Amino acid sequence: QLQLVESGGGLVQAGGSLRLSCAASGRTFRYSAMGWFRQAPGKVREFVASLSRGGGMTRYADSVKGRFTISRDNAKNTVYLQMNILKPEDTAVYYCAGAGAAWATTVLDEYDYWGQGTQVTVSS
């Protein structure tokens, strides 16, 4: 089991950057693929980025590819989302998630553990 706590959200102007962190507790972190999802008000939660348990394989939503980078430090039980060239469309609550799998799944339902979310607001 994993317990996940996100941090690093905030208010930023378009074109700016933020780095989100997800601190995980649990012995299975290093065996779990990790992902970031986001949800804007009135919209479904959507996939943003994911990576394999070792961090060697990553996937990104088309909307963020080239701007966002997901990474992990298994020694620190932490996953990161570096967000650059932020756009107003990126405004959402961002959730860290852990999957009981090694591969970088993009499917929401395949994630078993979720953080509480952190708000990212990008102003124009």
Side-chain angles (χ1 to χ4, degrees):
Q1 297 185 4
L2 293 173
Q3 292 181 320
L4 308 173
V5 180
E6 304 96 331
S7 63
L11 175 64
V12 64
Q13 289 186 318
S17 299
L18 285 174
R19 188 179 74 158
L20 306 183
S21 297
C22 175
S25 61
R27 296 181 182 274
T28 61
F29 174 78
R30 66 184 185 276
Y31 300 114
S32 300
M34 301 295 295
W36 287 95
F37 292 76
R38 66 187 182 187
Q39 187 168 21
K43 296 186 177 181
V44 299
R45 192 169 299 185
E46 65 177 3
F47 168 77
V48 176
S50 62
L51 81 172
S52 59
R53 67 182 182 186
M57 181 69 69
T58 59
R59 294 182 179 181
Y60 298 94
D62 289 342
S63 59
V64 306
K65 191 173 184 179
R67 299 187 297 120
F68 290 10
T69 303
I70 188 171
S71 62
R72 68 192 296 164
D73 186 338
N74 285 348
K76 296 181 178 179
N77 274 19
T78 303
V79 62
Y80 305 95
L81 185 68
Q82 178 66 47
M83 305 185 294
N84 297 325
I85 319 175
L86 283 162
K87 304 175 180 179
E89 307 93 273
D90 296 319
T91 296
V93 176
Y94 282 71
Y95 296 90
C96 177
W103 51 90
T105 179
T106 65
V107 180
L108 184 148
D109 288 345
E110 294 184 356
Y111 286 85
D112 301 307
Y113 306 101
W114 296 85
Q116 84 289 347
T118 185
Q119 177 71 48
V120 172
T121 302
V122 184
S123 64
S124 59

